[in-house]
Amino acid sequence: MNTTLSWIKAYVPDLDCTAQEYTDAMTLSGTKVEGYEAADRDLEKIVIGQIEKIERHPDADKLIICQVNIGSETIQIVTGAPNVKEGDKVPVVLDGGRVAGNHDGKMTEGGIKIKKGKLRGVESNGMMCSIEELGSTKELYPEAPEYGIYIFPEDAEVGADAIEALGLHDVTFEYEITSNRVDCFGVIGIAREAAATFGKKFHPPVVTPTGNDENAADYIKVTVKDTDLCPRYCARVVKNIHIAPSPKWMQRRLAAAGIRPINNIVDITNYIMEEYGQPMHAYDYDQLSGHEIIVRRAEKGEKFVTLDDQERTLDENVLVICDGEKSVGIAGIMGGENSMITDDVKTMLFEAACFDGTNIRLSAKRIGLRTDASAKFEKGLDPNNAEEAINRACQLIEELGAGEVVGGMVDVYPVVKQPVRIPFEPDRINALLGTDISADQMLAYFKKIDLGYDEVTNEVIAPTFRQDLFRTADLAEEVARFYGYANIPTTLPSGEATTGKLPFDLRVRATAQDIAEFCGFSQGMMYSFESPKAFDKLLIPTDSPLRNAIRIMNPLGEDFSIMRTQSVNGMLTSLAFNYSHRNKNVRLYELGNIYLPKALPLTELPDERMQFTLGMYGDGDFFTMKGVVEEFLEKVGITCRKTYSPESGKPFLHPGRQANIYCGETLVGYLGEVHPTVAATYGIGEKAYIAVLDMPEIVKLATYDRKYQGIAKFPAVTRDISMVVPKSILAGQIEEMIIKRGGQILEGCELFDIYEGAQIKAGFKSMAYSITFRAKDRTLGESDITAAMKKIWNGLESMGIDIRS
């Protein structure tokens, strides 16, 4: 649904806002604006000029030199336009102005700035414009030439704003209208919402009585056989038809809505469809056999040629409009070629009807033809809107001199639709919204959108065009959108129901999945049943407790005969499968149980422990895997210090590239590079890495409670320390000593350099740390830093470390 701001202002004349203000306010009040486009975008310093003299260019056969009067002065412009002559009034871009730069349907971002200069040696002080260069098209301005400069009418004022004269100081808005707001599929409905949103007076079109002293019932007879599919059918007759172009204001409004202007009769029907949201159709009265209309279901297999010259096959579920002998239209979708309006029409029949929305939607789909009319009918229109729309169309017929309207109207409306009456319960509305709005304020909101109120029965009366209002909750929504959603206070829900959520262990498990997938791991599902041979493949010693596995009483075979006591075999099997299929850079994760018996033979259920297993090969190394583990531990809120011990003793991992993972004093898992022998056994031809985290221990330490601290108010102080360290001392041990000796003012430490080489004696390495201090309550002094650093030095020296600086 598109409308121009000028069309809205025709019904809300006091509306004064920018395009962005309109967009924001309408969206917040429930009429969502998808976007807008200003017609005068990138148009600056453009006036109406009159060509007073034309001379040929001395050095170019296709250029002419024009002396153009712009009101305040006469300027010289060189142009190659073929259609201008002396006396023409044209749009002129002055020096420093801008044009839209619409060439071949492509807009230049920011427009094109016009500067005075010379063309083939002759000075030119501006530019005369085509309608495309003004950012518009021939569809909006059909009087514009195919090629060349736009020519204004003779009564145009020289020196006046050309953009104003062309009506380009306008904005087109695009709306997203929900299907239940049928009233907003017409400009009048949008304007009513705009008036209510901005607190302005709404001025709908004033429809005056039309028609001569004759009676339309003497011209046409209407019979509706299927009133369930056509609850109302209105018909009026217009004679002495005069086909001509519609006025420019109507053409431009239709073009802005995406409808191509054709002639005054067709344009009026399209205009009413956009204005009222009521599709209409016009038939050639003289082509209607028997001068009657019959609305009935089609016969099965009936053929019909529509206005687009296509033959359609109908069935008994399609509603058709017929005359005394034949079908002349498919109800609510498209008219027939046999009764179309031509330039020779003398008398016509105007139709404004209401059809069953569901039937129209299914019929359009069934015959493969969806039109603007069917798109509106299928929403379910208000039958009471049809009379107002057809009378408005006849009014425009008379105002535009398009014909003589016959008096009276044939109206088949067996069951009149009545307004819906809803009990007014302000306390209940406030309870639903969590507000404290007075009843008078609510009624004021209702009045703005034409809802009535019956004081005697204490009921709100919803007019028939508001087909979305049936109950108190609907009224509460109306109150909320005009009160302002942002103004509704935050309140706790009342009642006995509690908010559902995942159990804590499942939340931790979900976090593990999120982190793994965020880091590029794909989920794998491994078997809980394994082969006893897996222990040998993993180099697990014969006396290891891991070999105490639960045997299956009736296994599928030896390869699925025991319950797994570790998750590594399944992960390595999956990695090997991917490697054998030449998949590169594989990352997999699994969340699955291992089964540790408390005694064999079983006397009670085993300990089922969920394991978070990560495996990868390709891009990445030990520290890549370590980073994923630490990301997960941080995400689940484990704040205690994480340490890594190389004495993990896992036979299936590389002896120098493995570590147990501790959170505080708790062992939560291990990680490392797969032992080369094990990798070769599984058929993995490159370095592979795994990490296994014991989820029951993780859950004990995890928390989703977060305590945030403000930004530090006092500056930090940084000191660097360089040392020569025995290779046997790990970086974690050094950091633990720094943290232990740094005291409360220590904010952090970071290893930024490590070196081993000829300049360092054998068995040692050079390491350098950056240590940061900060106090929460004061600016640190040099004595504070010196004392802390001395403690750190003493502690490091006690470990056999040589401090260099």
Side-chain angles (χ1 to χ4, degrees), residues 632-674:
F632 167 64
L633 296 178
E634 179 180 354
K635 197 69 175 179
V636 295
I638 298 179
T639 57
C640 55
R641 180 167 172 75
K642 291 86 175 175
T643 56
Y644 300 84
S645 171
E647 290 84 25
S648 55
K650 297 295 185 291
F652 45 82
L653 295 181
H654 192 293
R657 299 168 190 169
Q658 60 175 286
N660 278 338
I661 306 169
Y662 288 89
C663 293
E665 300 298 325
T666 303
L667 175 64
V668 297
Y670 59 89
L671 80 160
E673 179 184 326
V674 178

Side-chain angles (χ1 to χ4, degrees), residues 468-527:
D468 59 315
L469 302 181
F470 296 101
R471 54 190 66 84
T472 300
D474 299 328
L475 295 181
E477 183 179 0
E478 299 302 299
V479 171
R481 66 192 186 97
F482 288 112
Y483 178 70
Y485 294 110
N487 297 324
I488 296 177
T490 300
T491 55
L492 292 173
S494 59
E496 297 180 359
T498 58
T499 304
K501 62 180 180 180
L502 289 173
F504 186 76
D505 61 329
L506 294 184
R507 291 177 65 191
V508 175
R509 196 181 305 177
T511 302
Q513 289 181 293
D514 291 343
I515 293 299
E517 290 168 7
F518 176 80
C519 294
F521 288 76
S522 300
Q523 186 171 17
M525 302 295 291
M526 293 33 162
Y527 291 113

Side-chain angles (χ1 to χ4, degrees), residues 37-211:
E37 184 174 353
D40 58 357
R41 183 185 62 175
D42 303 328
L43 302 179
E44 299 175 8
K45 297 179 69 174
I46 305 176
V47 300
I48 299 174
Q50 185 170 25
I51 302 174
E52 296 184 338
K53 185 179 180 181
I54 297 179
E55 298 175 328
R56 303 203 64 81
H57 195 290
D59 297 321
D61 294 338
K62 294 185 178 181
L63 297 179
I64 57 176
I65 304 170
C66 302
Q67 304 300 322
V68 184
N69 176 13
I70 59 171
S72 58
E73 60 178 318
T74 298
I75 62 174
Q76 180 171 286
I77 298 177
V78 180
T79 183
N83 66 316
V84 295
K85 63 183 183 301
E86 292 181 357
D88 283 347
K89 295 180 179 179
V90 297
V92 176
V93 190
L94 304 180
D95 178 36
R98 289 184 183 274
V99 291
N102 186 342
H103 296 290
D104 299 326
K106 297 180 180 179
M107 297 294 293
T108 302
E109 188 66 29
I112 299 174
K113 189 170 185 177
I114 303 302
K115 296 181 180 180
K116 64 181 179 180
K118 291 184 178 181
L119 290 177
R120 292 288 187 92
V122 177
E123 189 173 295
S124 182
N125 296 310
M127 186 182 83
M128 294 181 283
C129 306
S130 67
I131 198 64
E132 288 79 14
E133 288 165 329
L134 295 175
S136 193
T137 64
K138 273 185 61 60
E139 290 186 352
L140 280 168
Y141 296 86
E143 72 276 12
E146 191 70 31
Y147 301 102
I149 304 303
Y150 181 83
I151 309 297
F152 282 103
E154 294 182 0
D155 58 354
E157 180 185 350
V158 175
D161 183 355
I163 306 306
E164 179 70 29
L166 287 166
L168 288 174
H169 288 313
D170 206 352
V171 183
T172 299
F173 296 97
E174 179 184 357
Y175 305 87
E176 180 185 323
I177 307 298
T178 55
S179 297
N180 65 330
R181 288 304 305 272
V182 181
D183 56 305
C184 288
F185 282 93
V187 180
I188 289 178
I190 297 289
R192 182 185 291 109
E193 289 293 311
T197 298
F198 289 93
K200 304 296 183 181
K201 183 71 175 176
F202 174 53
H203 298 271
V206 178
V207 181
T208 55
T210 55

Side-chain angles (χ1 to χ4, degrees), residues 563-697:
M563 302 290 288
R564 67 176 181 176
T565 58
Q566 42 67 42
S567 59
V568 177
N569 175 64
M571 177 58 67
L572 292 180
T573 301
S574 295
L575 290 177
F577 180 84
N578 280 274
Y579 186 83
S580 67
H581 285 73
R582 300 183 180 180
N583 292 331
K584 298 180 179 180
N585 303 322
V586 173
R587 296 187 176 192
L588 299 175
Y589 78 93
E590 182 203 15
L591 283 162
N593 287 335
I594 60 172
Y595 304 87
L596 304 177
K598 299 173 183 177
L600 287 176
L602 288 177
T603 57
E604 56 181 317
L605 291 176
D607 183 12
E608 299 184 24
R609 302 188 71 82
M610 175 67 64
Q611 305 291 288
F612 178 28
T613 308
L614 299 156
M616 71 178 190
Y617 67 79
D619 290 345
D621 55 18
F622 177 91
F623 296 101
T624 304
M625 184 67 82
K626 180 171 176 282
V628 177
V629 170
E630 292 189 346
E631 179 78 12
F632 167 64
L633 296 178
E634 179 180 354
K635 197 69 175 179
V636 295
I638 298 179
T639 57
C640 55
R641 180 167 172 75
K642 291 86 175 175
T643 56
Y644 300 84
S645 171
E647 290 84 25
S648 55
K650 297 295 185 291
F652 45 82
L653 295 181
H654 192 293
R657 299 168 190 169
Q658 60 175 286
N660 278 338
I661 306 169
Y662 288 89
C663 293
E665 300 298 325
T666 303
L667 175 64
V668 297
Y670 59 89
L671 80 160
E673 179 184 326
V674 178
H675 196 292
T677 301
V678 174
T681 301
Y682 279 88
I684 303 174
E686 58 181 286
K687 291 181 178 180
Y689 302 89
I690 62 170
V692 180
L693 295 172
D694 190 37
M695 293 299 282
E697 296 297 336

